[in-house]
Amino acid sequence: MNRVDKRRVGAAFSRSAAAYDARAAVQREVQDRVLALVAETAPGARRVLDVGAGTGALLARLAAARPGLRPAAVDLAPGMAAAARARLPGAAVAAGDAEALPFGDARFDLFLSTSAFQWLPRLEPAFAEARRVLAPGGVLAVALFGARTLHELRGAWRDAAGPGPGERTHRFFDRDEVAAALAAAGLRVRAVVEEERRERHPDARAVLRALKEIGASPAVPGARGLGGRGATLELLRLYEARHGGPAGVPATWHVVYALAQR
């Protein structure tokens, strides 16, 4: 089980809603792949729910390709839900939790989620909710950031912070955990695949700034920094000493894609 302060996650992403689409390059690439997957596996789906929908960008792209789409969206962050509502007039949009969806049973043909489920304490309850709201034969297509995501930053953070009570870095789920959680929720797993994408930044400080701009702040309860300026400077030093070079520093995004069916 992951330790997640959901109120903190929601507040961080609400603050970033206005700038999110311009900053979230990897997240846009993940949407591209998910759209390609659903074009192949659920071409006729019209009743579509996006959970962790952010600003509604994915649903807007799908609606442009599928006239007659009946979209619905849920996001934990009220600011993101407001942005999606403005972008998708006529859609059913709610600020809500993936573990307690505000929709009735068997209502959707397609369940989508991109770059969101890594913020959950556990995967099983959210996948059980997905199964509940999917109609028989309905398709689930989810992409979330996996275990090696931001390993450069998290390793430097742990070493800079030193020993202390509790975990200070976010724990991401691995591919096997995703597959097991889908099966435990009673969904028929069709595929679970993974890939790594890397961004380059000028330096470690730029990595932290980019994460803050998209709302990806530490979600661990009580993890409000590394304990002061000294620890932060040590984080930056370690990150650059271990991973820096003429092209700057890398930031790894490990993406797990899951396709399943009710």
Side-chain angles (χ1 to χ4, degrees):
M1 181 172 176
N2 208 357
R3 296 175 60 236
V4 175
D5 184 338
K6 289 186 178 181
R7 288 185 299 177
R8 192 174 179 187
V9 171
F13 280 103
S14 285
R15 288 192 297 269
S16 72
Y20 184 85
D21 288 338
R23 303 287 190 267
V26 170
Q27 288 78 1
R28 169 81 178 204
E29 293 171 2
V30 171
Q31 289 182 5
D32 292 342
R33 180 155 186 187
V34 168
L35 286 171
L37 281 173
V38 301
E40 295 176 3
T41 58
R46 290 294 180 270
R47 299 179 300 165
V48 180
L49 173 63
D50 187 358
V51 176
T55 64
L58 176 63
L59 275 180
R61 296 173 68 188
L62 191 62
R66 298 190 184 192
L69 193 77
R70 295 164 58 187
V74 171
D75 199 279
L76 184 66
M80 288 291 193
R85 195 173 292 113
R87 191 176 211 152
L88 298 161
V93 180
D97 193 327
E99 296 182 280
L101 295 173
F103 296 105
D105 297 353
R107 181 166 170 180
F108 299 101
D109 307 311
L110 177 61
F111 180 104
L112 299 174
S113 183
T114 61
S115 308
F117 274 26
Q118 68 273 358
W119 298 113
L120 292 171
R122 296 176 297 159
L123 292 172
E124 289 85 350
F127 285 148
E129 276 291 271
R131 185 186 184 282
R132 180 183 67 78
V133 301
L134 276 171
V139 171
L140 172 146
V142 168
L144 66 156
F145 293 120
R148 283 182 51 78
T149 295
L150 301 174
H151 68 86
E152 305 94 343
L153 172 62
R154 292 186 293 126
W157 186 344
R158 284 191 296 268
D159 292 344
E167 177 59 73
R168 288 191 171 194
T169 62
H170 186 74
R171 178 187 177 277
F172 293 87
F173 303 105
D174 64 30
R175 178 187 178 279
D176 290 344
E177 288 175 301
V178 174
L182 287 166
L187 290 160
R188 180 165 65 89
V189 181
R190 296 176 60 176
V192 182
V193 299
E194 56 191 342
E195 66 177 358
E196 289 191 2
R197 296 177 179 267
R198 286 183 181 84
E199 293 181 312
R200 305 295 304 192
H201 296 269
D203 52 36
R205 195 177 296 275
V207 176
L208 297 182
R209 184 166 56 248
L211 292 173
K212 183 177 181 180
E213 287 173 347
I214 63 170
S217 301
V220 178
R224 298 189 178 277
L226 293 171
R229 177 176 172 78
T232 300
L233 291 175
E234 179 65 2
L235 158 68
L236 298 175
R237 186 193 71 78
L238 289 172
Y239 198 138
E240 293 179 11
R242 294 170 178 175
H243 306 288
V249 299
T252 296
W253 298 88
H254 171 203
V255 192
V256 180
Y257 299 90
L259 194 65
Q261 192 166 21
R262 178 175 176 183

